[in-house]
Amino acid sequence: NPQLHASSRSLVDALASRLRRAVVVDDQDLRLIAVSEDFGDADPARIWSLLHRRTRPEDVAYAEIKRLAGPVRIPENPALELWQRLCVPIRCQGLLLGFTWITDRYGDLADDQIADAAQTAEAMGVLLHRRRAMTAHELQIRQAPGGSAAERGLRGAARRP
């Protein structure tokens, strides 16, 4: 849905602008959903993730972060060329829907900035949950007898002389 995509992009851009930091949002499988402009804080791991449209699970201890209840700093890992970053899980109704990543190389994000990131992640969770519900509804329509209205219209047009 283009509206939901634009809304998620707007949330990311607004947070990045307020924090003056690069922000990335991945889905629960670490696939890129939205990315902000760069503020000169892109490390090689971020560049890799942008080019490949996903975050490498080994960069972020995926098995551990998917259980997070709130924001946590992911430590720097020089071997992976990964600077420290803040990870904020995105949840809605307890369901993990994604992650917000904010570059925090020097660990100087203030508590109010982290709270801002957490509030933005909550809003993103509502959007992603809505997107998931819409996708499930569209799938039900397509699987229903007769398919979607568009599919029925195409079949009807094909039968006309």
Side-chain angles (χ1 to χ4, degrees):
N1 182 319
Q3 252 183 341
L4 289 178
H5 183 70
S7 296
S8 60
R9 206 172 46 239
S10 294
L11 281 173
V12 167
D13 288 343
L15 178 62
S17 179
R18 289 191 305 272
L19 299 180
R20 306 300 301 159
R21 310 274 178 129
V23 176
V24 173
V25 170
D26 288 335
D27 69 10
Q28 72 275 12
D29 296 318
L30 300 178
R31 294 178 301 230
L32 186 74
I33 293 175
V35 61
S36 74
E37 69 176 288
D38 181 62
F39 289 86
D41 54 357
D43 59 10
R46 175 180 160 92
I47 294 166
W48 187 96
S49 70
L50 294 174
L51 292 173
H52 294 90
R53 296 184 182 170
R54 65 183 181 87
T55 296
R56 295 179 294 205
E58 62 270 21
D59 283 355
V60 294
Y62 181 65
E64 295 170 27
I65 65 164
K66 64 184 182 178
R67 294 189 299 264
L68 291 176
V72 70
R73 283 190 168 91
I74 303 296
E76 178 181 23
N77 186 331
L80 296 173
E81 299 182 289
L82 177 95
W83 295 342
Q84 178 173 256
R85 54 202 4 98
L86 184 72
C87 175
V88 185
I90 299 171
R91 296 184 183 277
C92 185
Q93 299 178 2
L95 184 64
L96 178 65
L97 298 169
F99 304 94
T100 301
W101 304 101
I102 302 165
T103 305
D104 189 23
R105 185 175 192 182
Y106 304 107
D108 57 358
L109 277 172
D111 289 345
D112 64 323
Q113 292 174 307
I114 294 171
D116 187 6
Q119 288 175 339
T120 301
E122 283 181 36
M124 184 67 72
V126 172
L127 283 175
L128 295 179
H129 192 268
R130 191 175 304 150
R131 179 186 297 172
R132 179 179 270 205
M134 289 174 65
T135 302
H137 180 69
E138 289 168 1
L139 185 60
Q140 285 177 338
I141 290 171
R142 287 191 191 114
Q143 292 175 344
S148 71
E151 290 168 339
R152 287 192 304 274
L154 289 175
R155 284 195 301 269
R159 282 189 236 132
R160 290 186 200 124

